[in-house]
Amino acid sequence: MLLVGRELPSGEADPQVMLGPDQLVNAAEDLLVVHGPNDTARPCGPGRAAPRTVYVNRMRLTRERIVAAAAELIEREGMTAISMRRIAAQLDCAVMSLYNHVPSKDALLDGVAEYVMSGIEVRTEPDADWQDQVRAQARAFRQIARAHPRCTMVVVSRPNNSAAALRPFERALATLAGAGFSGADSVRIVRAFIGYVMGCLLREVGVAPSLAHPDDVASRGGESDPAEFPLLTSLSAELGRRDHDADFEFGLDLLVRAVAELRPAMHS
């Protein structure tokens, strides 16, 4: 018989009946209590082992653990690999146990998006102007996207109304509104920055199943014909250099300048 109990101050266990090996109770320290052979009809004699109880620490199943396992699986194999059965196997629990914490696969993916977006940390000076704030927000989004490239695709490919997912967008819109941009233009500008960050993400790490770098894929195609592609040939050394941080900052500066140029026209 399998029981779960909490440890009493005396060191003894206060067991409770357990329906399955993955069923958990709300206790600070859960113990899996496994009772060995116990036949009360016959007393223990020579050569017969006495009944014994073994206490084994268990890690409780929580929504946070399930979401973290899903994020790990997505980064390793892609979003198409996600299923409740795969997550259960990864956590070594019964599939039905997952539904006590996440009601569906969609809810699980929403949790992954929330997990990613809640990790965004924007660092700006208190007196930073709107352009510096926009730059800081774009850098923060890029940082989390680089840490979770495949999970970030989950974020941008499906709607999510959780507070953690919406908070960075609210902050970006508030920054632009404070700079004097209209609501419609603020939305377009935020979308442009998201598109830019995601484009840089594709350039840096790729999101194909193999996560192969785009430059590596291109290099396997062989050298180009100098007569047909003279500029590509002459700039081959420059094209072969990879400084993604410098490239990102260069493009970010262009985008911020373009948005700043639009601002006077909007209020003229």
Side-chain angles (χ1 to χ4, degrees):
M1 182 174 64
L2 294 177
L3 301 173
V4 153
R6 63 197 71 185
E7 188 174 5
L8 299 176
S10 63
E12 298 178 349
D14 177 23
Q16 300 177 17
V17 175
M18 178 174 168
L19 298 179
D22 56 322
Q23 188 72 31
L24 300 169
V25 298
N26 185 17
E29 292 292 335
D30 288 335
L31 297 174
L32 177 63
V33 184
V34 182
H35 289 279
N38 188 4
D39 188 349
T40 58
R42 290 179 294 175
C44 297
R48 289 179 54 83
R52 60 193 180 90
T53 301
V54 179
Y55 298 93
V56 182
N57 287 327
R58 289 182 59 86
M59 184 178 293
R60 287 178 292 170
L61 195 63
T62 63
R63 181 178 183 273
E64 290 72 20
R65 285 189 64 213
I66 296 170
V67 169
E72 180 183 340
L73 181 59
I74 289 173
E75 290 301 328
R76 190 171 64 247
E77 300 183 31
M79 190 170 65
T80 57
I82 285 293
S83 71
M84 301 300 270
R85 187 173 299 278
R86 287 292 306 276
I87 299 300
Q90 187 162 320
L91 293 173
D92 193 23
C93 69
V95 175
M96 294 306 297
S97 299
L98 301 179
Y99 291 100
N100 293 326
H101 306 276
V102 287
S104 65
K105 178 180 175 181
D106 283 340
L108 179 60
L109 293 176
D110 287 343
V112 170
E114 181 181 351
Y115 167 76
V116 172
M117 296 301 287
S118 64
I120 293 179
E121 297 182 7
V122 181
R123 299 182 178 88
T124 56
E125 297 296 328
D127 58 345
D129 61 22
W130 71 269
Q131 296 182 51
D132 286 339
Q133 292 182 53
V134 167
R135 286 187 174 92
Q137 291 162 10
R139 290 168 184 148
F141 183 42
R142 176 189 179 228
Q143 183 177 9
I144 204 69
R146 294 174 78 187
H148 309 281
R150 285 176 164 172
C151 290
T152 302
M153 296 303 295
V154 175
V155 173
V156 300
S157 65
R158 55 188 292 111
N160 190 304
N161 293 324
S162 69
L166 295 177
R167 196 169 290 116
F169 298 112
E170 177 71 18
R171 180 170 184 171
L173 291 171
T175 298
L176 294 168
F181 293 98
S182 68
D185 288 321
S186 296
V187 169
R188 293 189 182 99
I189 292 168
V190 170
R191 286 173 176 168
F193 276 96
I194 292 173
Y196 173 66
V197 173
M198 294 306 296
C200 290
L201 182 66
L202 287 168
R203 180 74 180 84
E204 289 187 48
V205 300
V207 289
S210 65
L211 280 180
H213 194 283
D215 286 349
D216 295 333
V217 175
S219 65
R220 288 197 291 267
E223 297 182 0
S224 57
D225 183 359
E228 186 176 2
F229 304 104
L231 292 177
L232 287 175
T233 302
S234 63
L235 295 173
S236 59
E238 182 64 29
L239 289 169
R241 294 191 183 96
R242 297 178 185 174
D243 190 340
H244 296 304
D245 291 337
D247 289 347
F248 177 82
E249 290 297 329
F250 181 82
L252 179 61
D253 191 53
L254 289 179
L255 194 52
V256 171
R257 288 185 185 183
V259 172
E261 288 294 323
L262 291 175
R263 184 166 171 260
M266 293 175 179
H267 301 281
S268 60

